[in-house]
Amino acid sequence: MARYTEPVNSSAAFSADRLIVAPAGYVDMETAPLLGAALTNALDSHPDVCCDLAAVDFFSAAGVHILLLAADRAKRGGSRFSIRGAGGITRRVLRITQVEHLFE
């Protein structure tokens, strides 16, 4: 799982950095808690967190649960949380569970 920061808007005079959490491989019942811990740590230390799912090969309902928990934590803490790069099976799981719209 990679973590890095990138500017949110390089043309703005002042902007916070977005922290990117990028899991790779499988996000399932076994690995979802690791993603959850990474997202919790990120949300506790950054005002803007993005989960980049581009390198995820398999995504289960356990991963959906982790994303929903992260979105709720961000909302309660006044942070921003987003996802990007969801394709293939990941996008399909988000669509089937009817949560895809929460992360657009």
Side-chain angles (χ1 to χ4, degrees), residues 32-72:
L34 298 173
L35 176 58
L39 290 173
T40 296
N41 290 337
L43 287 164
D44 288 348
S45 61
H46 288 81
D48 191 357
V49 175
C50 179
C51 185
D52 186 340
L53 299 172
V56 173
D57 299 320
F58 177 79
F59 196 77
S60 74
V64 172
H65 180 71
I66 293 300
L67 294 180
L68 290 172
L69 289 175
D72 183 60

Side-chain angles (χ1 to χ4, degrees), residues 1-93:
M1 185 157 336
R3 288 174 50 142
Y4 58 94
T5 58
E6 69 180 11
V8 173
N9 182 352
S10 59
S11 65
F14 174 81
S15 65
D17 286 339
R18 174 180 293 157
L19 179 67
I20 306 296
V21 177
Y26 281 39
V27 178
D28 56 18
M29 188 180 282
E30 184 177 319
T31 61
L34 298 173
L35 176 58
L39 290 173
T40 296
N41 290 337
L43 287 164
D44 288 348
S45 61
H46 288 81
D48 191 357
V49 175
C50 179
C51 185
D52 186 340
L53 299 172
V56 173
D57 299 320
F58 177 79
F59 196 77
S60 74
V64 172
H65 180 71
I66 293 300
L67 294 180
L68 290 172
L69 289 175
D72 183 60
R73 185 180 196 91
K75 184 177 180 180
R76 286 184 289 114
S79 302
R80 291 184 48 167
F81 177 70
S82 60
I83 63 170
R84 72 178 184 196
I89 190 67
T90 304
R91 180 169 292 284
R92 186 171 182 202
V93 169

